[in-house]
Amino acid sequence: VLAFVGANFENPDWKYREAAVLAYGSVMEGPSSEKMRPMVMTSYPRLVAAMNDKSVAVRDTIAWTLGRIAQFHPTIVPVRELTPVLGEKLRDVPRVAANICWVVEV
């Protein structure tokens, strides 16, 4: 799964980018936070940068993935760095903003 994520995270086709982010968010459930910490900390800057993707579907799935990280690994969420991004993305289209609200809620 992680090989697919790495290979397609910046794919020119938005469907592959969205699938990569969806797969990444899906693996958040299960492994311990200690096991996920290095991967989440490495991927966090790329996820935040991708919140400006031109595809609404990709931005929506990234917001969902951030919520999955917060839900299953709250101790490794970089809250200080994430808060300004979340506030800015509340102004995005409703489906993205709804997932941003979920990130804040969990």
Side-chain angles (χ1 to χ4, degrees), residues 44 74 76-84 86:
Y44 171 75
I76 60 175
V77 173
V79 175
R80 183 170 292 148
E81 294 86 4
L82 189 57
T83 302
L86 296 178

Side-chain angles (χ1 to χ4, degrees), residues 28-69:
M28 290 300 136
E29 184 175 3
S32 71
S33 292
E34 284 309 308
K35 186 172 254 186
M36 295 302 291
R37 181 181 306 277
M39 185 173 19
V40 169
M41 298 314 283
T42 300
S43 67
Y44 171 75
R46 291 177 69 195
L47 288 170
V48 169
M51 285 297 296
N52 293 315
D53 196 281
K54 62 185 174 189
S55 168
V56 172
V58 172
R59 293 193 314 270
D60 180 49
T61 305
I62 290 170
W64 173 82
T65 297
L66 291 171
R68 297 274 294 180
I69 295 168

